[in-house]
Amino acid sequence: MSRTHRIAVLAGDGIGPEVMSESLRVLDAVEARSGFATERTEALVGGAAIDDGGHPLPEATVNACEASDAILFGSVGGPKWESLPPDIQPERGALLPLRKHFGLFANLRPGVCLPSLTHASPVKNELIPNGFDVLCVRELTGGVYFGSPKGREERDGEPVAFDTMIYKKSEIERILHVAFTAAMQRGKRLTSVDKANVLASSVLWRETATEVAASYPEVRMDHLYVDNAAMQLVRRPGSFDVMVTENLFGDILSDEMAMISGSLGMLPSASLGAKKEGTDLYFGMYEPSGGSAPDIAGQGIANPIAQILSAAMLLRYSLGEGQAADLIEAAVARTIDAGFRTGDIATGADGETKVGTKDMADAIIERL
Ligand code: NAD
């Protein structure tokens, strides 16, 4: 009997529904070849849910997610809902509560530039002859964004403001385990990024990383200070495999990584929560790194690859279907190599075929 997994499908707004339906067609095709099935529950989120019942994250949607092994998320938001009170706006009222409800503490963002798309990267092409493929693992629920005390007061006659960068050892350990697990599934190299020459929280981070490394003897780990990591990322992105870092540093480095990759329409992301008992699999939410792109929504021209690769990450990290994930990623790379381009990555060069959302998915399915 084939394996069955349950996923919640939250397409959302803007280009969300367009790219989601293409990613589901790719999933259908890969399931037919791989001997497993996904049972999908579609649910409303974001602006679509506000229009339907007045709230961006209905209880029925949370229930559907709770009953699933993972969430495949599109994107939310758009001009129509921007003047609503902040707490019921699509992003603030749906994305953040979902992350909180499911304790999603690890954010994984690949920065991938395929060899045939290096022209789209702002990095000098001679520095990235073979493109690059880096995975940024960012701690998402701790550090200076959430530490207390934080505040603002009057001292010696002038305003002062303060935040607290604080980490418990157990928080550092669990994000390190996510990063080492990812490294084991990739190139077995991990760079831990900190500021241990200045920050006490980074000294604990580095000590803990070194301790956790002992459980993963196959993974080669090194340490970089965050300022150096930011420089090395633009100088030699191809030399990294997995990078792991705390919340604030990861916020900045993962955006730098997205920028040097060249196209938002190509980049997936994962936010992982608790590990499923006795496995290396995590409950997680998977979504494109970009937003709902209202400027191109409804035109059938959005790049579906970020959503399709989000589904691949879901297969790998939440369902244990790593081979099927490899199949999708290889088919995407072959499709790009064959010259298929949506508008965001087209240059008009010889050998390119400009396609819309659906044709791009068809080309990928053909190459699975
Ligand atoms: P955006 O990522 O939606 O768009 C930025 C630019 O990238 C646009 O020109 C867009 O056309 C392009 N782009 C993005 N994805 C693309 C794709 N798959 N194919 C082709 N081009 C693509 O960011 P924005 O314009 O700042 O935000 C638009 C809306 O999305 C806002 O309402 C914002 O709040 C929301 N948003 C949602 C999420 C999310 O759901 N996680 C994340 C970011 C922004």
Side-chain angles (χ1 to χ4, degrees):
M1 213 179 77
S2 76
R3 306 174 294 282
T4 301
H5 310 284
R6 283 164 305 169
I7 60 176
V9 175
L10 278 48
D13 310 315
I15 60 168
E18 301 167 43
V19 293
M20 182 64 82
S21 59
E22 299 311 322
S23 74
L24 295 179
R25 286 205 300 127
V26 173
L27 260 188
D28 287 339
V30 86
E31 287 174 20
R33 287 160 178 73
S34 308
F36 70 93
T38 54
E39 221 173 80
R40 302 167 198 163
T41 309
E42 299 196 9
L44 291 173
V45 73
I50 295 173
D51 289 350
D52 182 71
H55 195 278
L57 186 62
E59 208 179 313
T61 300
V62 176
N63 293 342
C65 296
E66 274 177 352
S68 301
D69 298 308
I71 306 167
L72 187 60
F73 194 93
S75 52
V76 290
K80 184 174 175 192
W81 306 282
E82 265 162 19
S83 50
L84 290 172
D87 280 355
I88 62 155
Q89 280 191 15
E91 269 186 277
R92 282 269 295 272
L95 259 182
L96 303 186
L98 268 174
R99 284 186 189 148
K100 190 158 179 217
H101 184 85
F102 289 102
L104 306 177
F105 67 91
N107 185 235
L108 275 59
R109 271 173 58 175
V112 178
C113 183
L114 295 169
S116 47
L117 286 182
T118 52
H119 62 269
S121 170
V123 175
K124 274 198 198 113
N125 281 205
E126 64 258 34
L127 294 176
I128 46 169
N130 306 310
F132 54 84
D133 179 354
V134 195
L135 177 69
C136 182
V137 178
R138 165 189 171 193
E139 204 289 327
L140 204 55
T141 53
V144 71
Y145 291 172
F146 299 99
S148 63
K150 65 165 65 224
R152 191 183 157 120
E153 59 191 37
E154 200 76 9
R155 283 186 202 167
D156 302 326
E158 63 175 330
V160 296
F162 47 91
D163 301 281
T164 303
M165 187 181 261
I166 181 166
Y167 269 105
K168 287 190 283 198
K169 185 171 173 138
S170 54
E171 288 176 298
I172 303 173
E173 280 170 345
R174 68 176 181 176
I175 190 74
L176 259 300
H177 281 295
V178 172
F180 274 106
T181 303
M184 284 296 289
Q185 295 173 3
R186 294 172 41 108
K188 300 199 168 123
R189 285 179 301 118
L190 177 63
T191 303
S192 174
V193 175
D194 61 40
K195 190 68 183 167
N197 49 346
V198 180
L199 299 173
S201 57
S202 278
V203 173
L204 180 62
W205 181 282
R206 192 172 282 217
E207 279 169 21
T208 308
T210 306
E211 276 173 35
V212 174
S215 308
Y216 301 88
E218 286 178 57
V219 177
R220 196 150 49 85
M221 183 182 70
D222 61 351
H223 302 275
L224 275 187
Y225 296 136
V226 62
D227 43 349
N228 192 16
M231 293 192 285
Q232 300 309 322
L233 255 185
V234 288
R235 207 172 68 106
R236 51 174 180 93
S239 69
F240 294 103
D241 179 18
V242 181
M243 252 186 196
V244 60
T245 192
E246 63 87 48
N247 202 347
L248 166 66
F249 300 161
D251 192 2
I252 298 165
L253 289 180
S254 61
D255 269 7
E256 181 185 354
M257 226 176 252
M259 177 46 74
I260 62 172
S261 298
S263 172
L264 217 44
M266 301 282 295
L267 297 178
S269 78
S271 301
L272 307 183
K275 214 171 189 176
K276 292 175 199 171
E277 250 184 64
T279 71
D280 262 342
L281 304 176
Y282 293 85
F283 181 86
M285 181 160 95
Y286 300 81
E287 57 181 315
S289 286
S292 59
D295 53 333
I296 57 167
Q299 300 175 35
I301 58 171
N303 189 342
I305 289 180
Q307 189 75 59
I308 290 168
L309 292 177
S310 298
M313 287 186 91
L314 181 153
L315 294 175
R316 176 173 294 117
Y317 294 110
S318 284
L319 305 188
E321 301 289 356
Q323 280 184 355
D326 291 344
L327 273 182
I328 294 177
E329 287 163 359
V332 166
R334 278 198 292 273
T335 304
I336 294 296
D337 283 347
F340 290 90
R341 302 280 187 272
T342 41
D344 55 316
I345 50 173
T347 62
D350 286 349
E352 285 187 0
T353 309
K354 197 162 168 199
V355 291
T357 311
K358 186 176 175 309
D359 291 339
M360 180 61 103
D362 282 339
I364 293 168
I365 290 168
E366 235 172 72
R367 285 165 182 76
L368 272 173

